[in-house]
Amino acid sequence: MSIHFGVDYYPEHWPKERWETDAKLMQEMGVQVVRMAEFSWFKMEPSEGVFHFEWLEEAVALLDKYGIKSILGTPTAAPPAWIIERNPEIQPIDREGRRRHFGGRHHDCQSNEVYRGHIKRFVTAFSKRFAENPGVIGWQIDNELGNSHYDLCMCNSCKAKFQQWLKIKYGKIETLNDAWGTAFWSQGFNNFSQIGTPLITAVGENPSAMLDWKCFCSDLIVDFAKWQADIIRANCPEHFITHNYMCFDNKVNYYDLGKLLDFVSNDIYPAGHWQKPQAHPDSGLAASHDVVRGYKKQPFWMMEQQSGMSGWEIMGRALEPGQMSAWAMQSVAHGADAVVFFRWRTCAMGTEQYWHGILGHSGNPGRIYNEARQLTHTFSKHMDDFEGTMPHPEVAIVHSFRQNYAFDIQPNHPELCYVEQLQKYHKALYNKKIPVDFVRGMDDLSSYKLVIAPLQYLMTPQLEQHYIDYVANGGHLVLTMRTGVKDATNLCMTDRELPGRLSEICGIEVPEYDCLLETTGGVFYNSREYEAEKWCDIITLGKAKQIAEYTTGFYRQSPAITENSYGNGITWYVGTEPGDDLMADLTDYFLKTCGIEPLGTAAEGVEMMTRENDDSIWLFIINHTNERQVYHLHGMYTLLEGEKEEFLNPYEVQLLIKSKRSRY
Ligand code: GAL
Ligand code: ZN
């Protein structure tokens, strides 16, 4: 039997006498795995070279006795005070040139050689000690890499590493000067040693330099993880290595990081705290799971699945009965093979005293515990069957860290956000019960009937050709505003009108555009007027036909959305950001043209998602609302769990199956 449910456990926060009670309660709840120790450096090495792993060994052994395996986290996101006292230089420098100090977490510079030395000593001892431990199955490197490291670190060590990175990339300083467009504002360099980290300027910054800085930071974080992964692999060849990602977060390129890992893991906290609580967090969550599945194109783990209300200084909403289970099974529906809940017991101390867990402060099993037990007892057995399976969507949305960086640097419109735009397209499909993959532009796109590639801002000749070939061979491609604007180094392209060479498959040119600053625009489509947001490309038709036109601006009655047949396929060009209604109706049109059928029909907040192997398709139907719902399916599925087909109680999850061998 495989591992499907677990909790994040901090035995060091509680008296040892309590541990066995915890283990028993966990066993009863159906917990098969815990993650531990990712913030316990001081407890394991209270001074240099003095290791105290006994307490952790004791915890691992006790849990193992109750059939619970352990994943150990390297505690490198919180170096202890004695390291900081000895080497204060490992504390990072922010953009204002200030040092960030001990007292929270992430107070480390990831390029610092001295810090790497401390890590090497500790991780070597740690991994050797637990290599043969029968209770341990794998490792998590650090914790949420990139979290808090965005504008960190600007220290001299990072500066030297950045210069080195640039030297390898550009070879000669003249090449860098050209790639960064340093003729502007007299920014030319005589040599690499003049280049600094992007400390705060008097005003403005160079977008090409910033793009390289972000890519460098990502590479640095991957290198930081590799430093640890290499040690663990050498000492623990039987154990897996993973890392807990943060959905769409862009500080580290998760595709690159994924190459070091056996599988990726993810963390989600949908109930609001960092962000405002949303009416339908489920659609954004679905997109997060889909992109996480795409990072390695394989099933993943949830390493921190929200199990209670969140809170640091202020708190988020309490979870309604059933809500946690619905979110957990949503993770599974989108490809999670295991769900580890954060955290076992609500912590009594420190910054996260109010970040609640399966048990409250009192440690007594209550509503959430009972719900979790019910969940594991209902679904564990089925999860063995579809472990390792993937969905097979007919639609893909293109996702790229570099495009994301470029829009972070210059959003073009103050509210334009790369990830939000991707999520908007995703949401329209999600609401129509259409499974979606996230892919990278250069991936093999041939298995998808419809590829949506929003905001293809940075363009290369290879990517242009790839899209042209996809459409020529019968693909349906959606391109949007701000496509083909820049080259790979973030300089504007000047050889043709927008969207560059892609105008060949779009059948249009975009000689002008309008940024809808503090206003919205209108679009007329299919005998109705809709809202257009943020941007209007002013389009000249070539071979394409117009399918929607602007109703506002000096360019009213000119094309807003176009369609062009090219080779065996079609390219649609969307010159604006469609409002929700237009997005929904336009998506219907795309799907119909491509012959893509939804899994079924149901109200917003009722989700449908599949996983499949060669023989079977599992269909998950999840009611993310606190009302009863009905649904209708377009295939012949058999209910495995749940009360009544085509009917859902509040937050109910139903699991259905269909054989691929039957005719229906
Ligand atoms: C995550 C982090 C955990 C914990 C949790 C609640 O971002 O990985 O360590 O801090 O949030 O704040
Ligand atoms: Zn640094």
Side-chain angles (χ1 to χ4, degrees):
M1 181 139 135
S2 303
I3 287 172
H4 303 301
F5 289 103
V7 290
D8 298 302
Y9 186 40
Y10 300 90
E12 70 275 26
H13 296 171
W14 303 99
K16 220 177 253 182
E17 304 76 63
R18 166 75 192 194
W19 293 359
E20 186 137 20
T21 308
D22 283 337
K24 276 187 198 154
L25 283 171
M26 285 182 200
Q27 189 191 45
E28 271 168 45
M29 188 190 114
V31 167
Q32 299 158 302
V33 70
V34 296
R35 182 200 60 183
M36 295 194 288
E38 82 283 5
F39 286 106
S40 313
W41 196 334
F42 182 64
K43 185 102 181 155
M44 295 188 275
E45 194 190 13
S47 59
E48 184 160 344
V50 179
F51 296 108
H52 284 290
F53 295 117
E54 325 78 56
W55 66 274
L56 187 58
E57 281 170 332
E58 229 177 284
V60 168
L62 179 69
L63 291 157
D64 200 25
K65 197 174 98 188
Y66 286 88
I68 299 164
K69 295 294 174 193
S70 294
I71 298 168
L72 303 179
T74 63
T76 48
W82 64 260
I83 291 186
I84 302 299
E85 181 188 37
R86 181 159 319 165
N87 302 111
E89 73 277 16
I90 72 166
Q91 295 170 114
I93 302 288
D94 68 17
R95 291 199 78 176
E96 281 79 40
R98 300 171 305 196
R99 215 173 260 299
R100 295 290 187 96
H101 297 277
F102 181 86
R105 60 178 174 183
H106 302 292
H107 44 274
D108 59 318
C109 163
Q110 297 183 331
S111 78
N112 188 287
E113 297 293 342
V114 175
Y115 188 42
R116 296 276 181 114
H118 285 297
I119 290 175
K120 186 164 191 178
R121 179 192 65 252
F122 180 80
V123 175
T124 303
F126 192 19
S127 53
K128 279 193 171 154
R129 183 74 167 248
F130 287 92
E132 308 289 330
N133 189 310
V136 175
I137 54 171
W139 298 82
Q140 173 187 296
I141 293 173
D142 201 277
N143 188 75
E144 292 186 343
L145 284 163
N147 188 347
S148 322
H149 277 103
Y150 164 52
D151 48 4
L152 306 172
C153 158
M154 311 278 153
C155 77
N156 285 337
S157 157
C158 289
K159 179 165 134 182
K161 287 271 157 41
F162 186 40
Q163 291 170 354
Q164 217 177 342
W165 186 92
L166 291 168
K167 214 180 239 167
I168 292 169
K169 177 165 178 185
Y170 294 107
K172 291 200 286 215
I173 197 68
E174 295 76 20
T175 316
L176 176 139
N177 280 325
D178 288 345
W180 283 14
T182 57
F184 186 77
W185 281 356
S186 192
Q187 288 173 355
F189 298 104
N190 307 103
N191 48 58
F192 286 94
S193 64
Q194 290 168 345
I195 301 172
T197 52
L199 285 161
I200 193 164
T201 63
V203 67
E205 52 195 23
N206 179 325
S208 300
M210 287 309 293
L211 180 61
D212 269 337
W213 170 254
K214 283 172 184 285
C215 293
F216 160 75
C217 286
S218 173
D219 284 0
L220 175 62
I221 296 172
V222 173
D223 182 69
F224 181 82
K226 185 171 185 302
W227 182 252
Q228 304 193 24
D230 288 349
I231 300 171
I232 298 169
R233 291 241 182 261
N235 294 333
C236 309
E238 304 297 318
H239 292 164
F240 63 73
I241 300 179
T242 187
H243 178 69
N244 53 339
Y245 285 20
M246 297 175 283
C247 307
F248 279 99
D249 193 85
N250 73 357
K251 289 164 199 163
V252 49
N253 184 317
Y254 283 146
Y255 300 101
D256 294 347
L257 183 60
K259 291 185 199 141
L260 298 178
L261 308 173
D262 294 290
F263 57 87
V264 309
S265 300
N266 196 36
D267 296 351
I268 56 151
Y269 295 99
H273 169 68
W274 302 115
Q275 74 279 42
K276 282 200 195 123
Q278 296 155 16
H280 287 291
D282 49 293
S283 74
L285 287 174
S288 291
H289 296 314
D290 289 339
V291 82
V292 168
R293 188 182 66 247
Y295 290 138
K296 251 181 113 64
K297 292 194 190 305
Q298 81 190 28
F300 55 94
W301 277 39
M302 291 306 302
M303 198 55 89
E304 295 181 19
Q305 174 89 36
Q306 179 163 9
S307 66
M309 67 193 282
S310 45
W312 279 21
E313 296 79 22
I314 49 157
M315 289 182 240
R317 300 298 307 274
L319 273 51
E320 296 191 13
Q323 203 167 22
M324 176 186 74
S325 306
W327 285 334
M329 289 313 291
Q330 179 184 32
S331 304
V332 173
H334 286 265
D337 276 344
V339 176
V340 179
F341 289 103
F342 189 92
R343 56 178 77 207
W344 170 240
R345 180 171 174 184
T346 312
C347 184
M349 56 186 105
T351 309
E352 295 184 351
Q353 284 167 315
Y354 296 128
W355 208 281
H356 293 71
I358 297 279
L359 302 182
H361 284 130
S362 73
N364 296 327
R367 174 173 72 86
I368 297 275
Y369 175 86
N370 292 334
E371 183 179 318
R373 187 178 50 191
Q374 171 83 41
L375 173 78
T376 64
H377 290 188
T378 308
F379 289 107
S380 280
K381 51 186 181 293
H382 302 297
M383 287 172 70
D384 276 343
D385 296 339
F386 54 74
E387 179 168 7
T389 62
M390 293 279 279
H392 291 300
E394 295 175 300
V395 186
I397 298 177
V398 174
H399 169 254
S400 150
F401 280 89
R402 288 177 69 83
Q403 305 288 8
N404 199 350
Y405 294 149
F407 282 105
D408 261 4
I409 297 163
Q410 292 171 302
N412 287 243
H413 178 284
E415 273 121 48
L416 180 63
C417 166
Y418 174 76
V419 169
E420 269 173 35
Q421 185 127 162
L422 264 52
Q423 287 170 332
K424 217 167 166 179
Y425 279 93
H426 185 280
K427 186 178 177 182
L429 294 154
Y430 170 84
N431 283 342
K432 292 179 197 308
K433 327 302 174 199
I434 306 278
V436 180
D437 270 345
F438 280 99
V439 296
R440 284 190 282 180
M442 288 304 291
D443 281 350
D444 178 4
L445 304 174
S446 60
S447 67
Y448 299 103
K449 287 187 183 165
L450 174 63
V451 172
I452 300 174
L455 302 170
Q456 296 297 291
Y457 190 53
L458 305 175
M459 194 42 67
T460 62
Q462 295 78 4
L463 188 56
E464 275 170 346
Q465 190 59 49
H466 194 58
Y467 287 146
I468 292 169
D469 292 345
Y470 170 68
V471 177
N473 292 324
H476 300 84
L477 179 66
V478 176
L479 293 172
T480 77
M481 67 201 220
R482 308 316 282 146
T483 287
V485 178
K486 301 240 187 154
D487 69 10
T489 66
N490 217 1
L491 295 178
C492 287
M493 294 205 272
T494 53
D495 50 335
R496 305 174 60 145
E497 297 293 355
L498 297 180
R501 222 186 117 210
L502 290 170
S503 66
E504 193 177 320
I505 52 171
C506 295
I508 58 158
E509 283 188 347
V510 183
E512 280 193 85
Y513 37 77
D514 185 14
C515 177
L516 299 180
L517 204 55
E518 311 233 328
T519 186
T520 53
V523 160
F524 192 79
Y525 168 71
N526 207 5
S527 62
R528 219 196 108 177
E529 196 175 349
Y530 295 85
E531 198 162 72
E533 294 171 10
K534 300 186 183 97
W535 193 268
C536 294
D537 272 344
I538 302 170
I539 298 171
T540 308
L541 287 182
K543 286 190 187 140
K545 69 175 185 198
Q546 164 184 316
I547 62 169
E549 65 181 34
Y550 293 115
T551 57
T552 48
F554 66 86
Y555 41 86
R556 65 185 161 275
Q557 293 182 338
S558 77
I561 303 171
T562 61
E563 174 176 312
N564 190 48
S565 297
Y566 179 88
N568 296 322
I570 292 176
T571 310
W572 288 290
Y573 188 89
V574 183
T576 183
E577 183 176 309
D580 288 346
D581 290 351
L582 178 56
M583 192 63 107
D585 291 355
L586 203 55
T587 304
D588 274 336
Y589 175 66
F590 296 154
L591 293 170
K592 205 171 126 226
T593 312
C594 300
I596 298 169
E597 290 283 329
L599 293 165
T601 48
E604 192 170 349
V606 175
E607 172 165 14
M608 295 183 186
M609 185 66 196
T610 54
R611 294 179 69 160
E612 47 188 286
N613 64 15
D614 290 344
D615 301 318
S616 310
I617 304 178
W618 287 266
L619 171 66
F620 297 77
I621 307 182
I622 304 169
N623 182 1
H624 291 284
T625 77
N626 56 12
E627 285 157 20
R628 292 173 176 202
Q629 299 284 358
V630 291
Y631 62 85
H632 177 70
L633 291 183
H634 294 168
M636 297 285 284
Y637 288 89
T638 312
L639 194 62
L640 285 175
E641 292 292 343
E643 285 175 8
K644 196 159 152 270
E645 221 170 297
E646 308 229 316
F647 173 85
L648 293 159
N649 284 315
Y651 295 113
E652 186 180 350
V653 178
Q654 289 188 354
L655 181 57
L656 299 93
I657 195 167
K658 173 166 115 170
S659 164
K660 280 182 159 177
R661 310 223 184 269
S662 87
R663 285 198 301 124
Y664 298 101

